[in-house]
Amino acid sequence: MNATSKKIIKLSASYLVGIGALVFVLTPLFVLATVSLQDPSGSLNPLALPDTYHWHNYVDAIKTGNLVHYFGNSLTVLVMTTSVTLLASMLAGYALRHGKAWKADWIFLFFLLGLILPGFAGTIQSFLVLRELSLLNTHAGLAIIQISGGLALPIFLYLQFFRTVPLEIEEAAVIDGCSSFRLFWTVVFPITLPVTSTCFIIIALNSWNDFFNPLVYLPSPDMRTLPTGLMAFRMQYQTDWQQLFAASVMIAFPITLLYVFVQRFIIKGIVGGAVKG
């Protein structure tokens, strides 16, 4: 077997693996879309296209599930969580980059515990603290929980990114009379776009799809976010699968659209700290 044949076999195998992975990823999306358009009064067939597309399932899902109200709740929590987490992790990563070596390393290891410990480990303690602070059953309280649980990875990514930025750039700005505040926001911040986009989509995905924390810390139905709002389609003896799947499609659409717009920055941000240069 010559070199050309081996190359063709390897290329064919790569395509087959890629096609298999694509089918594996798209099959759940196909089931989600088809079930959401099937007749609510008919039999449920996840792998069959409906004879008639029942688009009214989406309208009914919005009304039944009160999705507009829950969308506002999710968006409120998302804005608070992403803005505070991005700002705090960016400043922490920059401070750790310029801190004394041994102190910065120990503090960084403390933050890394957030990647090791499970997020639900301190649920009882967090619940009691929020109750004492009158933040239980509030969007601000939920945002605090999501921020505290989501700082570790963004800090890690920012720190690795700042380590690749030559110190000469900042030193030149200081020599030109740039203050510390202006140095960070006009020199350092603009070059963090790739890692900021990566952190933003990670934080936004975690906040938007969070089910456990809203279920625990937002007991009131009026305060629910979209993932917990899906429980409205589950009744005591039956589940309206068509409306449930239609609601799931609408919930997944905004965050998927966001990912499409920023996905070109994600790989750059993740590997931004892998190579010094």
Side-chain angles (χ1 to χ4, degrees):
M1 186 180 294
N2 54 32
T4 303
S5 300
K6 291 182 179 179
K7 187 178 295 185
I8 293 174
I9 292 175
K10 289 182 179 179
L11 187 61
S12 301
S14 300
Y15 276 115
L16 288 175
V17 172
I19 293 173
L22 185 63
V23 171
F24 182 78
V25 171
L26 292 181
T27 298
L29 299 179
F30 173 79
V31 172
L32 191 67
T34 54
V35 173
S36 69
L37 294 172
Q38 291 180 5
D39 186 2
S41 60
S43 60
L44 189 67
N45 192 346
L47 297 178
L49 290 174
D51 297 329
T52 304
Y53 295 99
H54 296 268
W55 296 102
H56 64 84
N57 288 339
Y58 287 83
V59 179
D60 295 340
I62 293 175
K63 295 179 180 178
T64 303
N66 199 16
L67 296 186
V68 175
H69 179 71
Y70 294 150
F71 178 84
N73 292 344
S74 290
L75 188 61
T76 300
V77 176
L78 176 69
V79 170
M80 289 190 292
T81 299
T82 52
S83 57
V84 176
T85 305
L86 281 175
L87 180 61
S89 56
M90 187 187 304
L91 294 175
Y94 186 73
L96 291 173
R97 170 67 177 89
H98 292 275
K100 291 184 178 180
W102 67 272
K103 290 183 178 180
D105 290 341
W106 278 104
I107 296 174
F108 181 55
L109 289 175
F110 176 78
F111 280 118
L112 286 182
L113 289 176
L115 296 176
I116 301 173
L117 297 175
F120 54 83
T123 300
I124 297 177
Q125 292 81 357
S126 300
F127 185 91
L128 296 176
V129 170
L130 289 184
R131 188 178 64 179
E132 291 297 322
L133 296 175
S134 299
L135 289 173
L136 189 64
N137 200 33
T138 65
H139 294 145
L142 175 61
I144 291 173
I145 297 299
Q146 291 184 347
I147 292 167
S148 61
L151 278 173
L153 182 58
I155 289 176
F156 172 79
L157 293 176
Y158 272 114
L159 177 59
Q160 300 308 312
F161 178 83
F162 285 135
R163 284 175 174 172
T164 66
V165 179
L167 292 176
E168 289 78 7
I169 297 177
E170 300 180 39
E171 292 172 354
V174 173
I175 293 174
D176 290 338
C178 194
S179 63
S180 299
F181 182 82
R182 186 179 178 187
L183 169 66
F184 182 82
W185 291 111
T186 62
V187 178
V188 177
F189 177 72
I191 64 177
T192 65
L193 180 60
V195 67
T196 299
S197 301
T198 303
C199 293
F200 176 78
I201 193 64
I202 292 174
I203 298 166
L205 277 170
N206 291 335
S207 176
W208 189 263
N209 297 325
D210 189 8
F211 177 82
F212 177 77
N213 288 322
L215 185 64
V216 174
Y217 301 108
L218 298 178
S220 174
D222 290 336
M223 303 299 293
R224 287 176 179 172
T225 57
L226 285 171
T228 53
L230 291 177
M231 293 188 298
F233 300 100
R234 297 194 60 184
M235 304 173 190
Q236 185 176 2
Y237 298 107
Q238 64 179 359
T239 300
D240 193 332
W241 293 107
Q242 286 79 8
Q243 290 190 22
L244 176 61
F245 277 52
S248 300
V249 170
M250 289 185 286
I251 291 174
F253 180 76
I255 205 69
T256 303
L257 190 64
L258 175 65
Y259 178 82
V260 169
F261 280 107
V262 302
Q263 57 86 24
R264 66 191 183 97
F265 297 109
I266 291 178
I267 301 301
K268 292 181 181 179
I270 292 177
V271 303
V275 180
K276 295 281 184 180

